[in-house]
Amino acid sequence: MGIGDKAKNKAEELAGKAKATVGDATDNRDLEAEGRMQEGKADVKQAGEHVKDSGDDVTDALRSASGATKFDTDDDTGTR
């Protein structure tokens, strides 16, 4: 995911927090629960993004250690 997706996930998290806060302040348990659920979904998406970023970091570190680049190929066919 790119920066746009990360920003969308953060916006979804903040919207969920806002709903939960308004629901709590107005004793609207349904709105509060909806906000907490929305916030939780955004947190899961962000956690997945962190895992993906970590995997990319490991891949880059291994390439760097081996002297390879992501554009290296096994043969002249352009395949890896």
Side-chain angles (χ1 to χ4, degrees):
M1 279 188 214
I3 290 178
D5 291 327
K6 289 180 182 183
K8 244 197 293 190
N9 292 340
K10 190 63 175 178
E12 184 176 349
E13 177 191 355
L14 294 175
K17 281 184 182 189
K19 279 183 186 178
T21 300
V22 169
D24 184 44
T26 61
D27 287 328
N28 183 338
R29 298 295 171 216
D30 290 340
L31 183 60
E32 183 178 2
E34 181 182 331
R36 299 261 182 246
M37 188 181 317
Q38 184 176 0
E39 186 179 352
K41 285 180 182 179
D43 288 344
V44 168
K45 288 178 185 178
Q46 290 173 5
E49 185 61 30
H50 290 301
V51 169
K52 180 185 167 291
D53 289 345
S54 295
D56 289 345
D57 291 345
V58 169
T59 301
D60 290 343
L62 290 172
R63 277 194 191 113
S64 177
S66 71
T69 68
K70 69 183 246 180
F71 302 109
D72 286 347
T73 60
D74 292 336
D75 55 24
D76 293 332
T77 64
T79 60
R80 294 180 192 230

